[in-house]
Amino acid sequence: MDLNFNKNEDHNKLLLSNLLHKFAKVKMGGGEQRIQKLHSEGKMTARERINYLLDKGNCIEIGGFVGEGMYAEFGGCPSGGVVVKMGYIRGKQCIVVANDATVKAGAWFPITAKKNLRAQEIAMENRLPIIYLVDSAGVFLPLQDEIFPDKEHFGRIFRNNALMSSMGITQISAVMGSCVAGGAYLPIMSDEAIIVDKTASIFLAGSYLVKAAIGESIDNETLGGATTHCEISGVTDYKAKDDKDALDKIKNIVDKIGDYDKAGFSRIKAVKPALKEDDIYGILPKARNEQYDMMEIIRRLVDDSEFEAYKEGYGQTIITGYARIDGWAVGIIANQRKVVKTKNGEMQFGGVIYSDSADKATRFIANCNQKKIPLVFLQDVTGFMVGSKSEHGGIIKDGAKMVNAVSNSVVPKFTIIIGNSYGAGNYAMCGKAYDPRLIVAWPSAELAVMGGTQAAKVLAQIEASSLKAKGEIVDEAKEKQLFEKIKARYDEQTSPYYAASRLWTDAIIDPLETRTWISMGIEAANHSPIEKKFNLGVIQV
């Protein structure tokens, strides 16, 4: 191994170590003291509940870093106050959503609603059973205007409950703590509801509010406890003696769910990559503007390191071709990050989409749709090529064709942001706006409209001109100060953690977990037969 490989490896393993350190802190939720308080009440934490419920083995967490760095004035909101995982219950793939009562008693922040809606979206797209482990104080009142009335706010949860029910998607609720106000509709809108005796309650208004509203004096247990709802109101279907008993009941219910209609994606026996997977740390460069061969990454992600290139010699700044990941057939679209030479002797920059590469990707997407092959996008893209030659050659038209194909694709899409994800390149390579079934970032990822240095130069020039127009003296030192201040702010916003906190991506993952995410994603998608036909609509030929 050369010195550069070792430097890259050290850098990327440091990024991974930072990821693991940050995530260990996130998993503590509201902190050790609040965890101990839950335990003293005979309750498990959200993560303990999920770990007990899911089979041992593969599982993936959606939105672990949601809320990172947000709501500091309210003490933060680790993981958005809710834990979401995709895993297996008695061998059946499911989505599990658990309120974290250690974070503001499980109250819903605006980002909590967004994360819950994302979990429901995944369940609906893939027709996966969804389990709700409810332990929430309801809407976080200081931010009620950002969570209550709009289309993508709290009420959308119940609309989705109704839609999933009509779609035949199994929904099971276990009320394991508070379930109040609007949230009280969740259990009764699920197919089956369980309530834990003595520690759980369901009501539209608690005893204090009832007293204030109508003058009635009643305790919470009589008002909405397990006995009330299992024997009098009929709101819930099963009474559980404790958390584990409730979770065991869920396992038994899921165990009886029948098989599903399959989409029919091709899968054979899985084979590990022939090349050493952890070489990825040394191949991926330390600096985001350095060149490298994306094929070396692909060969360490796909089964037996085998890749069948499509139009290998044409449009070389995008790699297209067929492979298998954990046995599943996939079509891979990846940005080539090394400078390539065309047949005409011209040099093309790595990570840039040219007209020919956009044309190739469009054709490949159409082929994968025709053959019912899921698409995997590996992003390290700085955008589309600019300049008079590209504009005269129709780069906008060819880019629009690629965006059109990505938008209208009916096979499931999965996006891995390896490095840069800038501007329209993010869109063309199936960014969040283009409905990938799952979208994750490596710790090396950067998401922005353009690179930090370029953006900071532009913004610093604009600010300097504005100051000069006001009569202020702007010398070289002042310009440098402006640039560094703007770049620091911009770099923070391009961080993968900034994106993950806002759910622009589903997770930040160790590169070695990529195969698991793609495999579980395709397995989930296989629950949902494709009902639409691929149609590009009107495009400029």
Side-chain angles (χ1 to χ4, degrees), residues 117-133:
L117 289 170
R118 177 61 178 145
Q120 289 185 320
E121 179 183 44
I122 292 170
M124 291 167 80
E125 283 182 328
N126 300 293
R127 297 180 181 268
L128 289 180
I130 183 166
I131 317 298
Y132 307 100
L133 307 181

Side-chain angles (χ1 to χ4, degrees), residues 458-470 472 474 478-479 482:
V458 172
L459 293 170
Q461 287 169 5
I462 292 170
E463 193 162 331
S465 297
S466 176
L467 292 172
K468 288 175 183 176
K470 293 174 183 176
E472 294 188 33
V474 181
K478 180 68 173 177
E479 286 183 348
L482 284 173

Side-chain angles (χ1 to χ4, degrees), residues 48 55 87 228 316 446:
E48 288 168 345
D55 301 344
T228 295
Q316 294 177 68
E446 292 185 358

Side-chain angles (χ1 to χ4, degrees), residues 4-82:
N4 198 46
F5 183 98
N6 292 334
K7 285 182 177 178
N8 291 339
E9 185 176 43
D10 290 345
H11 173 74
N12 287 308
K13 286 191 173 179
L14 188 62
L15 290 180
L16 177 60
S17 175
N18 185 44
L19 169 67
L20 297 175
H21 176 75
K22 281 178 173 285
F23 194 50
K25 187 177 177 182
V26 163
K27 287 195 287 188
M28 292 300 293
E32 186 62 41
Q33 198 169 359
R34 287 176 181 160
I35 291 172
Q36 288 176 0
K37 184 175 183 295
L38 269 191
H39 288 165
S40 70
E41 295 169 355
K43 296 164 70 174
M44 303 162 75
T45 67
R47 291 181 181 278
E48 288 168 345
R49 288 165 175 167
I50 292 178
N51 290 342
Y52 182 84
L53 182 61
L54 294 179
D55 301 344
K56 303 301 179 192
N58 285 346
C59 81
I60 57 179
E61 180 164 345
I62 310 295
F65 283 103
V66 161
E68 177 80 2
M70 299 170 71
Y71 311 117
E73 67 273 34
F74 300 110
C77 186
S79 226
V82 62

